[in-house]
Amino acid sequence: MTVIDKIFMLFDQHGSQTYLGESVSLTQHMLQSAQAAERESAGSVLIAAALLHDIGHLLHDHDEDCAQRGIDSQHEDLAGIWLETHFAANVTEPVRLHVSAKRYLCTVEPDYMNELSSASIHSLNLQGGPMSSEEVKDFESHTYFREAVRLRRWDDLAKDPEVQTPPLEHYRPHLASVLCKPDNVS
Ligand code: FE
């Protein structure tokens, strides 16, 4: 099986779960994120990162309502570890940093937190709340922090049950063009 087929299989098997207390499924959410990236002509690297940013939720064993029960699934780290087997840092790091980017924006943009959904505010608290000024400095020292912030904004928009997106297959060429270790997986 190719890596991309494996990724699409994960979407098939686990993507119909509800996205963290929102009115869309995980698959709809990730497709809407990718669509938002594509609409900004963000390029294949960030379109792939947007499509894959919550792949950690397709990999972990926690229930879809784990955040409501006070469990942080740390899906961004799980995603980073899984993705780095096949993709370079320009894809994996924005994904790994997308939760930190929310904490960052809550600190540097006072209005940002008012726009978050209630589910997102709930998970923010589990994830450590807004960043301290030390954490802001540390976050801005990451090579890919700007990309992580862009990804975060697409993530925040991608929760509309009325939005239609292209199917997963539409994104295969984008994934294929940024895959750096196209080994087969078992
Ligand atoms: Fe997300």
Side-chain angles (χ1 to χ4, degrees), residues 19-20 29-30 33 53-54 57 75 98 152 155 159:
Y19 173 61
L20 305 177
H29 171 64
M30 291 155 82
S33 300
H53 80 276
D54 273 338
H57 286 308
H75 69 286
H98 82 276
R152 184 72 227 180
D155 183 3
K159 301 175 177 182

Side-chain angles (χ1 to χ4, degrees), residues 121-140:
I121 288 186
H122 181 76
S123 59
L124 168 73
N125 293 327
L126 291 176
Q127 290 152 350
M131 283 185 171
S132 66
S133 49
E134 271 306 295
E135 288 174 315
V136 164
K137 240 187 267 168
D138 188 50
F139 182 72
E140 289 175 344

Side-chain angles (χ1 to χ4, degrees), residues 4 48 87 171-180 182:
I4 296 175
F87 296 92
Y171 295 100
R172 185 182 287 271
H174 292 291
L175 292 176
S177 72
V178 298
L179 203 56
C180 61

Side-chain angles (χ1 to χ4, degrees), residues 51-64:
L51 182 70
L52 300 173
H53 80 276
D54 273 338
I55 197 169
H57 286 308
L58 308 181
L59 294 167
H60 66 62
D61 293 328
H62 295 294
D63 299 339
E64 59 193 61

Side-chain angles (χ1 to χ4, degrees), residues 79-136:
I81 290 165
W82 197 89
L83 291 172
E84 72 188 7
T85 318
H86 309 292
F87 296 92
N90 55 2
V91 174
T92 63
E93 291 313 288
V95 171
R96 205 193 298 271
L97 294 171
H98 82 276
V99 170
S100 298
K102 175 169 73 169
R103 298 186 55 224
Y104 171 77
L105 285 169
C106 284
T107 301
V108 301
E109 286 184 10
D111 288 340
Y112 174 79
M113 198 151 50
N114 301 330
E115 302 293 317
L116 290 178
S117 66
S118 57
S120 197
I121 288 186
H122 181 76
S123 59
L124 168 73
N125 293 327
L126 291 176
Q127 290 152 350
M131 283 185 171
S132 66
S133 49
E134 271 306 295
E135 288 174 315
V136 164

